Amino acid sequence: YPEDSALARPLFGRTPDMMEVFTRLTGVPYPWTKYAQTTVADFIGGMENVSATTLVDWLPDARAYHDRPWYQQVLIPHELAHQWFGDLVTAENWANYWLNEGFAEFMPGQYWHAKLGEAAEDDYYWDEYRQYLAKDARRRTPLATYNSSVAYPKGALVLRMLKQHLGAERFWAAIRLYLTRHGGGTASSDDLRQAVLDATGASLGWFWSQWIYQAGHPEFAVSAR
């Protein structure tokens, strides 16, 4: 809106840099010929239409985020990440929906690590962890299932674990293979596992079994004498 025009550049000005960082990390250039971001009325969140993201019209107003100060700078990279994860490569079916949303939720943390360092990344994923615990407490489901309750935050956290387990170089090599192999088509959770295997030699069947196909998380009872 005209009254928000002065806020547009601070809000959207990072987008070209985000595109460059995501291209560098994934090794896959931005897939489309342009990228538009439009704010509209009577909307909630964002929608990653191919090359044209739709966003809530109150996004420029930082006062709307008193309970989630990260929201402005999470929603924009989240929807941008979908141009690779969800648009370039689309989940094969709803049971693999976490591949779209988990990656889109994971990538903002990687961007803020690249820009602000490890502490900013830790803060971002700590917020994801708290969201995951709240959603899991209400309804416990695996990641790879129809209508998963935890596709966004647990997807982001599991991908971060996978990166930590493999190391950054091997992780991004696997992601690059996943995107190039399935670009313009669909993919399943096992397609991601196969890309990891082919790129790194790590089959990680145990990881997929525990974190992708099973629900919940390890719970420990600890005592001291």
Side-chain angles (χ1 to χ4, degrees):
Y1 302 114
E3 61 269 26
D4 293 330
S5 59
L7 303 174
R9 185 166 296 279
L11 178 62
F12 295 113
R14 282 186 179 269
T15 303
D17 186 58
M18 291 175 180
M19 297 170 81
E20 291 179 4
V21 170
F22 288 176
T23 291
R24 175 174 57 81
L25 290 175
T26 63
V28 177
Y30 176 74
W32 321 110
T33 57
K34 59 97 173 176
Y35 187 55
Q37 296 176 96
T38 305
T39 59
V40 301
D42 297 323
F43 200 67
I44 182 168
M47 177 52 64
E48 64 278 10
N49 315 294
V50 172
S51 81
T53 285
T54 307
L55 299 159
V56 290
D57 62 350
W58 43 264
L59 190 68
D61 186 355
R63 293 169 298 179
Y65 310 103
H66 60 88
D67 59 338
R68 286 198 65 195
W70 279 92
Y71 197 75
Q72 280 183 322
Q73 299 301 343
V74 168
L75 186 60
I76 290 173
H78 175 105
E79 301 304 336
L80 174 63
H82 272 309
Q83 301 300 317
W84 285 264
F85 303 99
D87 291 345
L88 177 62
V89 179
T90 300
E92 184 178 90
N93 51 44
W94 286 107
N96 292 281
Y97 179 61
W98 81 273
L99 291 170
N100 292 14
E101 298 301 344
F103 268 110
E105 199 77 353
F106 166 74
M107 291 299 288
Q110 299 303 295
Y111 176 76
W112 290 113
H113 183 166
K115 296 286 96 178
L116 299 178
E118 188 173 342
E121 178 186 7
D122 288 342
D123 287 346
Y124 175 81
Y125 291 113
W126 173 245
D127 186 57
E128 294 296 309
Y129 176 65
R130 289 184 294 182
Q131 291 181 58
Y132 160 69
L133 290 179
K135 291 177 181 294
D136 181 75
R138 290 195 294 269
R139 185 166 66 91
R140 176 164 285 186
T141 62
L143 272 179
T145 188
Y146 174 75
N147 199 26
S148 173
S149 63
V150 292
Y152 289 69
K154 188 175 183 179
L157 295 168
V158 167
L159 289 167
R160 191 193 192 201
M161 278 197 301
L162 181 62
K163 181 189 172 193
Q164 291 172 326
H165 180 77
L166 292 172
E169 184 176 349
R170 295 206 303 164
F171 174 82
W172 290 115
I175 300 310
R176 183 164 57 252
L177 180 59
Y178 168 77
L179 288 171
T180 54
R181 177 178 284 173
H182 301 287
T186 62
S188 68
S189 300
D190 197 62
D191 288 327
L192 178 60
R193 185 198 63 80
Q194 189 64 48
V196 171
L197 172 60
D198 292 345
T200 70
S203 63
L204 298 185
W206 61 270
F207 186 94
W208 252 248
S209 175
Q210 180 170 341
W211 294 110
I212 309 300
Y213 298 121
Q214 293 187 45
H217 50 271
E219 299 181 26
F220 300 94
V222 180
S223 62
R225 295 186 179 183

